Amino acid sequence: MHKIKDVESGSIANQLEIEPGDMLLTINGQKIIDVLDYRFMIQEEELLLEIEKPNGEIWELDIEKEEADDIGLIFESGLMDQAKSCHNRCIFCFVDQLPKKMRKSLYFKDDDFRLSFLMGNYVTLTNIDQAEAERIIHYHLSPMHISVHAADLALRRKMLNNSNPDDLFEYLKKFNDAGITMHFQIVLCKGINDGGALDKTISALLNIGSKASSLSVVPVGLTKYREGLHVLEPFLQEDAKKVINQVEKWQAHIQKERGTSFVFCADEWYIKANLPMPPYKYYEDFPQLENGVGMWALFEREFVNSIKPKMKQIDGIIGLVTGEAAKNLIEKLAANIPGQVKVYSVQNNFFGSNVTTSGLLTGKDVIEQVKEKAHQDGCTRLLLPQNMFRTESKFIEYTLDDMHREEIEQKLGIPIQII
């Protein structure tokens, strides 16, 4: 049974007087395991819902609707089930590199194939069995987002720190045969799965079939909290250039065979290598955007397209806060805005200087590094990136170090706007 958290106003469920606190027992006589079952079952045009009211009374409700119509139920859990946790102890895991005494939710490692389909989360598939693989195929969960890291089974076991993962490629071939589109990622670790191992992995993924759609190569993220963890080295400028050259050789080969590049380097490689970012068209349909592949090019294109020939000059002095990775881009674009715009890049002292993205900035670092400069510059407003905030409710936005928007604004002494 599944507890109903809310009912959409004007929906079928609302009209049938289903209320928050009611329990959904069955649909057409069948129990529901999770959101996959629920979404699949409510596609039927004729439904029989079994609902238990808080007083124990059982209602049976007949529904006739159009196939595509939702019925308007909202459940306490988006999955209608517990999220599947990760069974690995990856040598590069970012969660293991978090400092102690942060909020509990940050330490949960999800590895849930349902979230791969619903949210685009990358999963290793090491915690599924044949029955769950068949469920993916039965519900045609496409696209799937899959972390590979290495094609060599022994190397993959080493990287996942899991001595008994199933043969990933058995699942991948089944998904390909079932017509399920797959996007892959490799978290590259220096001296471990780079070089010849990377070549082997790219080749193996290409051999899966036509539904192997794209691959991103992402540099390992290293914080300063790695005591007792596997020793990993950061990639330096020359290392990054070698990775880019290696990937570009594969792209040229694959373009001839498939008419697509298939494999892409994350933007961070070009920043590390101090090389220009590829142009907008290079990224095709941006299949790996959420993995930091092509974000720079897309952001620049959207900005340029939104600039009007005769923009009104902004009032006051505006401060733009960003991470170190995007500093050059933001400064370049800010130069096109009429008026006084100051760009403040913030070094990540909380996680360490190797972490440069804006999404991992903390309120404390912003306050310590921006407050004095912004006041000296006479800033009348500060613009902070939305991705450094998490939303606890409709009204409360807070950072990784649990600082609320209002608290940051108060300590800065300057009005802030989240953009």
Side-chain angles (χ1 to χ4, degrees):
M1 61 179 64
H2 299 278
K3 189 172 184 179
I4 296 166
K5 179 182 179 181
D6 204 355
V7 178
E8 293 181 3
S9 177
S11 66
I12 294 171
N14 182 228
Q15 294 169 20
L16 292 172
E17 299 182 358
I18 299 175
E19 298 175 316
D22 292 349
M23 305 291 289
L24 173 63
L25 303 181
T26 63
I27 298 177
N28 291 342
Q30 300 204 22
K31 292 183 179 179
I32 302 100
I33 297 174
D34 58 19
V35 67
L36 301 181
D37 286 345
Y38 174 74
R39 287 293 168 195
F40 184 78
M41 290 179 186
I42 65 168
Q43 298 304 309
E44 298 290 332
E45 295 180 355
E46 295 184 2
L47 301 175
L48 176 62
L49 265 59
E50 191 178 21
I51 300 289
E52 181 178 331
K53 305 298 284 186
N55 62 3
E57 186 177 355
I58 305 296
W59 287 12
E60 289 190 349
L61 302 171
D62 285 306
I63 296 173
E64 291 186 8
K65 65 178 188 63
E66 296 295 325
E67 183 177 347
D69 288 349
D70 194 0
I71 59 176
L73 296 180
I74 300 171
F75 298 93
E76 287 197 325
S77 164
L79 285 176
M80 300 175 65
D81 191 17
Q82 293 290 327
K84 290 172 70 70
S85 62
C86 183
H87 288 183
N88 310 307
R89 285 284 305 217
C90 297
I91 62 174
F92 53 83
C93 180
F94 196 84
V95 175
D96 289 342
Q97 302 179 70
L98 295 177
K100 296 178 181 179
K101 297 183 179 179
M102 298 181 73
R103 60 182 178 274
K104 188 176 179 180
S105 61
L106 293 173
Y107 299 101
F108 179 73
K109 305 176 187 179
D110 75 78
D111 196 14
D112 197 309
F113 69 88
R114 297 165 299 187
L115 293 175
S116 177
F117 169 67
L118 295 168
M119 306 291 292
N121 294 11
Y122 276 85
V123 293
T124 64
L125 299 180
T126 55
N127 61 353
I128 70 168
D129 54 24
Q130 291 292 338
E132 288 170 311
E134 291 301 325
R135 219 167 160 238
I136 292 170
I137 292 170
H138 174 68
Y139 285 127
H140 196 75
L141 302 186
S142 182
M144 290 288 290
H145 300 81
I146 301 162
S147 293
V148 179
H149 309 314
D152 180 83
L153 184 56
L155 179 55
R156 188 164 189 263
R157 284 174 173 168
K158 175 184 176 180
M159 295 195 68
L160 300 181
N161 206 2
N162 183 340
S163 61
N164 192 35
D166 288 323
D167 187 351
L168 172 70
F169 284 82
E170 177 187 339
Y171 291 137
L172 301 187
K173 287 171 183 174
K174 282 185 177 181
F175 296 160
N176 180 79
D177 293 344
I180 293 173
T181 297
M182 293 168 284
H183 299 287
F184 306 109
Q185 75 164 353
I186 295 171
V187 174
L188 208 64
C189 297
K190 187 175 177 179
I192 297 176
N193 62 334
D194 54 355
L198 176 58
D199 287 332
K200 182 176 180 179
T201 306
I202 296 172
S203 177
L205 291 173
L206 284 170
N207 287 332
I208 290 168
S210 62
K211 290 301 176 178
S213 183
S214 73
L215 167 65
S216 61
V217 180
V218 182
V220 62
L222 303 175
T223 80
K224 64 183 181 182
Y225 302 99
R226 290 197 56 82
E227 186 176 352
L229 300 178
H230 194 286
V231 176
L232 294 175
E233 297 180 50
F235 286 96
L236 304 179
Q237 183 174 349
E238 289 304 312
D239 303 319
K241 288 180 179 179
K242 288 179 182 178
V243 172
I244 292 169
N245 289 335
Q246 186 176 4
V247 168
E248 287 180 347
K249 286 178 181 178
W250 274 104
Q251 289 176 326
H253 168 71
I254 301 167
Q255 278 285 353
K256 291 179 182 177
E257 297 289 329
R258 292 191 172 195
T260 176
S261 290
F262 176 71
V263 57
F264 299 90
C265 283
D267 292 1
E268 192 175 348
W269 290 112
Y270 296 92
I271 296 170
K272 286 179 179 293
N274 196 26
L275 291 174
M277 287 288 174
Y280 178 86
K281 290 183 179 180
Y282 174 86
Y283 295 101
E284 299 174 6
D285 59 351
F286 291 83
Q288 293 276 350
L289 188 64
E290 293 305 316
N291 238 343
V293 178
M295 277 189 168
W296 186 302
L298 182 62
F299 184 76
E300 183 175 28
R301 170 63 66 93
E302 290 178 342
F303 177 87
V304 170
N305 287 346
S306 68
I307 290 290
K308 298 176 182 178
K310 294 183 179 180
M311 276 187 68
K312 182 182 177 183
Q313 182 161 318
I314 58 173
D315 296 325
I317 299 174
I318 304 299
L320 293 173
V321 175
T322 187
E324 291 185 300
K327 175 178 180 289
N328 292 338
L329 171 65
I330 300 299
E331 286 181 339
K332 174 185 173 184
L333 300 184
N336 294 282
I337 303 172
Q340 290 289 313
V341 180
K342 302 290 183 179
V343 177
Y344 303 111
S345 65
V346 177
Q347 179 175 296
N348 201 318
N349 294 328
F350 185 83
F351 285 113
S353 58
N354 285 322
V355 178
T356 60
T357 59
S358 60
L360 292 172
L361 290 178
T362 60
K364 184 174 185 289
D365 280 343
V366 169
I367 293 165
E368 288 181 349
Q369 297 178 48
V370 173
K371 181 177 180 179
E372 184 176 346
K373 293 177 184 176
H375 279 282
Q376 287 176 351
D377 291 334
C379 278
T380 54
R381 185 163 36 128
L382 281 170
L383 309 185
L384 272 60
Q386 185 180 46
N387 62 355
M388 67 173 281
F389 290 88
R390 305 295 182 269
T391 304
E392 187 175 75
S393 71
K394 187 175 181 181
F395 306 104
I396 302 176
E397 293 162 304
Y398 58 101
T399 58
L400 284 167
D401 58 343
D402 290 325
M403 293 190 71
H404 292 176
R405 175 193 182 281
E406 293 80 4
E407 181 183 358
I408 296 172
E409 185 173 69
Q410 183 182 33
K411 289 185 176 181
L412 284 169
I414 301 172
I416 67 171
Q417 181 179 345
I418 298 172
I419 62 166

